[in-house]
Amino acid sequence: MQQVTKSDRAIPAKRASPLRGVLPSRQEIVLLVLLIGLMILAGSLSPTFLAPNAQMGLSTHVWELALLAIPMTLIIVTAGIDLSVGSTMALCAVVFGLCFQAHMPLALAGALTLATGAAAGALNGFFITRVRVHPLIVTLATLAAYRGVAEGLSLGRPVSGFPESFTWLGQGTVLGIPIPGLIFGVAVIAVGLIAARTPLGLWLSAIGYNETASLYSGIAVARIKMWLYTLSGTTAGLAALLFVARRNTAKADIGTGMELAVITAVVLGGTSIFGGRGRLFGTVLGVLLIHETREFVSWQWNRDELNLIVIGLLLILSVLADSLLTPKSRR
Amino acid sequence: MRHLTRPITLGLLCGAVLTAGCGAHKDASGGGGGGGATSSAGKTVNVYLLPKQKGIAYFTSCSVGAEAAAKELGDVNLVYDGPTDGAPEAAASLIESWTLKGANVICVSPNDPNVLAPAMTKAKQGGVHMLTWDADSTPDSREFFVDQATSEQIGDALVDTMAKDIGGADPVGKVAIVTATLTAANQNEWIKFMQERLKKYPRLQLVAIKPCNDNQTLAFQVTQDLMKAYPDLKGVFGISSVAFPGAAEAIKQAGKSGQVLVTGLSTPNNMKPYVKDGTVKSVVLWNTEDLGYLTIYAAEAVANGKLKPGATTFHAGKLGDKKIEGDKILLGDILVFNKDNIDKFNF
């Protein structure tokens, strides 16, 4: 049913590129209100949760998720999806661990890890653009396959004992800000500027709204998608490096369920799961809301099992928000 | 007006969900926390007890003893939480959160010391008393280790039990070990002492040591493979609470109950069916409730300055005086469950 209406949709004239725009959207306002509400609740139940050092310390748990949400936003705007990010992370971490065990220089090992991520993403892109399989199917397959390769390569054995010069990347701070946070800040501003100042943002939403029309308007749809999935894989490689540095362990089961959290953050942030509409600002809010909710629930109630429930509830909420806030004509 | 009703509906809905969630939780924490935080005059000690994995019988029974100790002591506000999937990185995140939250003592059973030691050292530098229990981490990341039994005691008990179950003054046969993971510190120590002890029984031949990655299905498969590779296998050691039932089930399904003997470490409830049908003669363990109890007594004593480095004994409530060797607080005795006594234990 969605397919039928989708091809009829036109890009709304008013906000030509949904990746652009200065004013917050309705969903973003809802998110802001929710965030403020959560903070007030947290502040009244447990004031220490809001202390700057607590917030700074807890923030170390979110950077990989935040980084992965950037390419995921761009991909979902083109009506695609990448379910394989968590598995790609595991694969990259294992590759890095094996390189380290083989006494390779760390810089080279890091480069190889990023290359592995890029290759994993490019393979997704290849199947999506050349073999023309739906991204959901392709990345569902690689979700299983990359994890399997990671387990096969590592034989389930974790690698530890990385030198401090490397773990600094995940544990160190510059001017009181965790290094992964700085990397995320630079990345989100850079991608945000590119999306807003170049035609790319417009192209991405055009592809999401109507791929065929975009193709005939001269947009290099296949090439753009290829780059997007490669970028997603590379980011997963970077996230893997940060994770390994932070936890001093490289093993095949890291990033399990990561795709769920990332997609939840993006959709919660107002990016339409059907493509076309979405903004990085919303994604940042979505990531923040997930992170703060998760950390606060764990802080207040000490129940690890609530973690998945929280993600599930937020995902339902985000889909609900999407259908409630979007007028039918624009869906 | 229509464009306004949608966001308002949504806002109300969110509010409802949040309020409902909080309401439910207030009830839960009111019931659970009431026992720990009694209104004693002194300051309360915030103690966090971290298991390797939350929701498995072994650690749940430890937490029962821990809660009893907290109740007895009165000034302890005990929180028991840990990763439900056993992921050490999730445990590290919890230690970080608790440090920021103002924990006085954190007692950790590390699933992977390599992952947890950095977080533990950081917490210690932040002024939190760190203890390990059940499994140890690096010595510089904690003050004391509450040790259920020395690795030597456990290794010896496992081998002696197997020898006794096989029978005879000089037991004969091929034996194999199914361990948790190849990096599990506890298990590796035990294996070392098991190999030592096996020298006492020259005709028991250790033919294989296989990991099951703490996965019961894998333990089942590994044991099946072992029986195929060594058709005359006489005994299997399942030396984690997951490896043991997995191995026992494989032997039972192969119809080799009594022929291939299994022994190992597990909680009694897990193994009751196998003990009753004869697949397993003996289950080796320590008193897990006492372990949790001792850990909380030690935590309170460390926080209040009653237990300092260098002490050689320590009085732990109903357990009496416990020996301290260096920085290890010893719980002591090994407990062997068999057909005759297993029904007396329920955990």
Side-chain angles (χ1 to χ4, degrees):
Chain A
M1 211 171 76
Q2 204 55 51
Q3 284 306 108
V4 180
T5 50
K6 200 176 128 185
S7 53
D8 297 336
R9 293 183 310 174
I11 299 175
K14 207 163 86 187
R15 190 181 268 162
S17 164
L19 281 167
R20 301 180 180 191
V22 182
L23 290 175
S25 70
R26 271 185 289 191
Q27 177 140 358
E28 285 159 10
I29 293 170
V30 171
L31 282 186
L32 274 172
V33 170
L34 274 179
L35 250 177
I36 294 168
L38 178 70
M39 288 303 155
I40 293 172
L41 181 76
S44 62
L45 286 176
S46 179
T48 47
F49 178 74
L50 296 183
N53 76 321
Q55 283 296 317
M56 203 50 91
L58 294 174
S59 81
T60 55
H61 302 160
V62 78
W63 299 121
E64 292 102 28
L65 164 66
L67 265 174
L68 289 169
I70 300 174
M72 189 69 85
T73 307
L74 306 183
I75 286 178
I76 296 183
V77 164
T78 65
I81 200 149
D82 186 356
L83 296 175
S84 71
V85 287
S87 300
T88 309
M89 256 182 91
L91 178 62
C92 293
V94 165
V95 166
F96 184 73
L98 291 177
C99 290
F100 172 72
Q101 267 186 332
H103 304 292
M104 218 177 260
L106 282 174
L108 180 61
L112 272 176
T113 307
L114 293 179
T116 306
L123 191 67
N124 283 338
F126 173 79
F127 279 110
I128 292 162
T129 57
R130 303 273 180 258
V131 189
R132 301 193 139 272
V133 186
H134 194 284
L136 192 72
I137 305 300
V138 173
T139 58
L140 187 63
T142 52
L143 160 91
Y146 293 161
R147 176 85 54 196
V149 174
E151 278 167 2
L153 280 179
S154 69
L155 300 172
R157 275 173 223 156
V159 178
S160 291
F162 298 97
E164 248 174 64
S165 57
F166 174 69
T167 53
W168 176 81
L169 192 65
Q171 297 167 14
T173 54
V174 170
L175 302 171
I177 301 167
I179 289 157
L182 288 176
I183 295 176
F184 168 73
V186 170
V188 79
I189 291 172
V191 175
L193 280 180
I194 291 173
R197 295 283 160 87
T198 67
L200 190 72
L202 183 62
W203 291 344
L204 292 182
S205 28
I207 295 173
Y209 272 119
N210 193 328
E211 192 173 323
T212 318
S214 312
L215 195 63
Y216 287 115
S217 326
I219 298 174
V221 174
R223 199 187 304 159
I224 290 178
K225 282 192 175 180
M226 190 73 196
W227 278 111
L228 278 185
Y229 286 94
T230 310
L231 176 71
S232 180
T234 316
T235 311
L238 179 62
L241 285 179
L242 294 177
F243 181 92
V244 172
R246 178 158 68 86
R247 287 294 175 228
N248 195 19
T249 186
K251 50 187 190 138
D253 63 356
I254 70 163
T256 310
M258 184 59 102
E259 62 285 341
L260 188 65
V262 174
I263 293 166
T264 307
V266 171
V267 177
L268 194 61
T271 299
S272 167
I273 197 77
F274 306 118
R277 189 165 42 81
R279 297 207 313 162
L280 279 175
F281 177 64
T283 296
V284 172
L285 286 181
V287 169
L288 250 178
L289 187 64
I290 285 202
H291 166 65
E292 296 294 353
T293 314
R294 213 157 55 169
E295 292 298 336
F296 179 66
V297 165
S298 149
W299 180 279
Q300 188 66 23
W301 293 296
N302 299 305
R303 300 261 194 289
D304 186 63
E305 54 274 28
L306 289 178
N307 234 319
L308 273 178
I309 303 177
V310 167
I311 295 279
L313 278 179
L314 285 177
L315 188 57
I316 293 172
L317 194 73
S318 60
V319 174
L320 219 63
D322 190 42
S323 58
L324 276 177
L325 288 180
T326 318
K328 280 216 175 64
S329 58
R330 286 189 38 189
R331 243 183 276 157
Chain B
M1 273 326 274
R2 199 170 146 66
H3 64 286
L4 268 182
T5 47
R6 280 169 192 275
I8 288 171
T9 320
L10 190 70
L12 286 177
L13 208 75
C14 299
V17 169
L18 266 179
T19 331
C22 300
H25 278 297
K26 254 179 204 148
D27 294 346
S29 59
T38 43
S39 53
S40 64
K43 65 179 175 87
T44 51
V45 184
N46 292 317
V47 179
Y48 290 81
L49 186 65
L50 180 77
K52 278 184 188 167
Q53 183 173 1
K54 192 182 179 188
I56 63 174
Y58 173 84
F59 284 109
T60 305
S61 72
C62 293
S63 77
V64 171
E67 260 147 38
K71 212 168 203 172
E72 261 177 49
L73 284 162
D75 61 344
V76 171
N77 188 12
L78 173 67
V79 171
Y80 170 76
D81 194 21
T84 42
D85 57 358
E89 55 275 11
S93 296
L94 283 174
I95 294 175
E96 287 164 356
S97 300
W98 293 341
T99 307
L100 294 167
K101 218 172 141 180
N104 298 111
V105 194
I106 301 178
C107 315
V108 185
S109 171
N111 210 349
D112 184 345
N114 283 315
V115 180
L116 288 163
M120 291 170 69
T121 312
K122 220 168 146 194
K124 209 175 133 192
Q125 286 161 357
V128 184
H129 293 286
M130 298 299 297
L131 303 181
T132 47
W133 64 290
D134 176 67
D136 203 4
S137 175
T138 53
D140 60 330
S141 64
R142 47 82 179 156
E143 288 161 62
F144 286 100
F145 169 39
V146 183
D147 195 352
Q148 55 272 46
T150 60
S151 299
E152 192 174 356
Q153 280 177 314
I154 293 170
D156 289 359
L158 283 167
V159 173
D160 291 346
T161 308
M162 178 64 84
K164 200 177 126 230
D165 287 353
I166 291 177
D170 188 7
V172 191
K174 288 180 179 163
V175 292
I177 298 175
V178 180
T179 182
T181 62
L182 289 174
T183 51
N186 266 0
Q187 271 79 1
N188 284 348
E189 275 291 294
W190 301 338
I191 291 173
K192 199 175 86 193
F193 285 106
M194 284 169 78
Q195 283 168 327
E196 275 300 304
R197 190 67 166 190
L198 276 166
K199 289 184 186 147
K200 216 181 123 189
Y201 307 97
R203 297 172 72 189
L204 279 185
Q205 188 195 352
L206 179 63
V207 289
I209 301 173
K210 296 277 180 200
C212 72
N213 295 339
D214 247 349
N215 175 327
Q216 196 156 328
T217 321
L218 202 56
F220 179 85
Q221 285 168 10
V222 163
T223 312
Q224 278 184 330
D225 294 345
L226 280 171
M227 283 187 289
K228 268 184 220 136
Y230 307 98
D232 53 344
L233 194 69
K234 195 72 198 148
V236 177
F237 295 98
I239 60 172
S240 84
S241 57
V242 180
F244 191 10
E249 186 60 34
I251 285 160
K252 189 178 162 186
Q253 287 193 14
K256 291 193 169 176
S257 294
Q259 233 174 302
V260 183
L261 291 163
V262 216
T263 191
L265 297 152
S266 182
T267 48
N269 279 359
N270 252 344
M271 302 310 293
K272 257 173 208 169
Y274 301 108
V275 171
K276 294 206 167 141
D277 70 18
T279 311
V280 174
K281 282 190 187 167
S282 320
V283 180
V284 178
L285 199 69
W286 43 88
N287 194 320
T288 49
E289 285 191 21
D290 286 354
L291 177 61
Y293 183 92
L294 178 61
T295 305
I296 299 308
Y297 260 86
E300 194 261 357
V302 166
N304 289 335
K306 288 186 273 183
L307 178 57
K308 289 200 174 76
T312 52
T313 59
F314 161 61
H315 187 78
K318 65 169 185 187
L319 297 178
D321 287 323
K322 284 289 163 192
K323 219 167 94 186
I324 302 177
E325 267 177 19
D327 50 14
K328 290 181 179 154
I329 305 170
L330 298 180
L331 174 65
D333 311 322
I334 295 283
L335 204 55
V336 177
F337 306 103
N338 52 38
K339 215 165 50 194
D340 305 320
N341 71 358
I342 199 162
D343 279 328
K344 284 186 221 152
F345 298 90
N346 184 26
F347 63 89

